[in-house]
Amino acid sequence: MTQVNLRDIVYAVRKKRLDPTKTITIADMFKASIFKKCEYGVKLLGKGIDEYKELGLSMNFEVSDASENVIEAVKELGGKIKVVYNTPLTLWIQLKPHKYVLGDLVKTSMPPPKKVLKLETMKMKGLEVEYP
């Protein structure tokens, strides 16, 4: 899983590569050059929480996972984190849509049982979770 710190997102917002008024997705982070390679999803980490709080913007995120201190910081400023399950293929289609003409026809498969348990525990923490 690709790890992204909040300071990288704050830097991209300050450089106007990301729009904080819209939901920030994995594809948006890829287009903003926050990371170059992503195989299994993105996990938000807490380095830069102070910078995020100084920015003072309520942001919504759509990622694969997030650490607990990031969840608290985002909720504190009025934002939301939505956890979305993606297979490597559906993630690749989101990141490089120009390579897949028939990308809309690909459906996300059901996650394995261990992943379902992890997603359900995230839901109990108060996150919005989406999987088929």
Side-chain angles (χ1 to χ4, degrees):
M1 190 154 316
T2 304
Q3 299 176 347
V4 174
N5 286 303
L6 277 178
R7 70 173 170 210
D8 301 328
I9 292 173
V10 170
Y11 179 79
V13 167
R14 288 184 176 151
K15 292 289 184 180
K16 307 226 186 283
R17 293 183 196 162
L18 286 175
D19 184 8
T21 60
K22 297 180 182 175
T23 300
I24 298 172
T25 63
I26 296 172
D28 294 334
M29 292 181 214
F30 183 75
K31 290 175 189 171
S33 299
I34 293 177
F35 56 86
K36 294 181 181 179
K37 186 177 178 183
C38 181
E39 292 181 26
Y40 300 105
V42 170
K43 180 173 183 172
L44 280 180
L45 298 178
K47 284 187 180 175
I49 285 182
D50 297 331
E51 297 171 27
Y52 175 73
K53 289 181 180 178
E54 285 175 13
L55 197 60
L57 295 173
S58 171
M59 291 190 235
N60 299 325
F61 297 98
E62 201 171 281
V63 292
S64 304
D65 198 0
S67 63
E68 290 186 24
N69 53 356
V70 171
I71 295 169
E72 292 172 10
V74 170
K75 284 186 176 181
E76 188 177 305
L77 290 177
K80 292 182 184 177
I81 297 178
K82 182 177 182 181
V83 176
V84 179
Y85 173 74
N86 287 308
T87 62
L89 178 63
T90 56
L91 189 63
W92 189 250
I93 290 171
Q94 289 175 16
L95 299 179
K96 309 253 181 178
H98 58 281
K99 291 189 176 185
Y100 293 93
V101 179
L102 301 175
D104 296 337
L105 299 176
V106 177
K107 295 181 181 177
T108 305
S109 61
M110 186 70 177
K114 285 184 179 179
K115 186 67 176 178
V116 170
L117 287 174
K118 185 174 181 182
L119 292 169
E120 290 299 321
T121 57
M122 287 181 193
K123 191 183 282 188
M124 288 181 204
K125 290 180 185 175
L127 293 175
E128 187 178 338
V129 178
E130 180 182 306
Y131 63 93

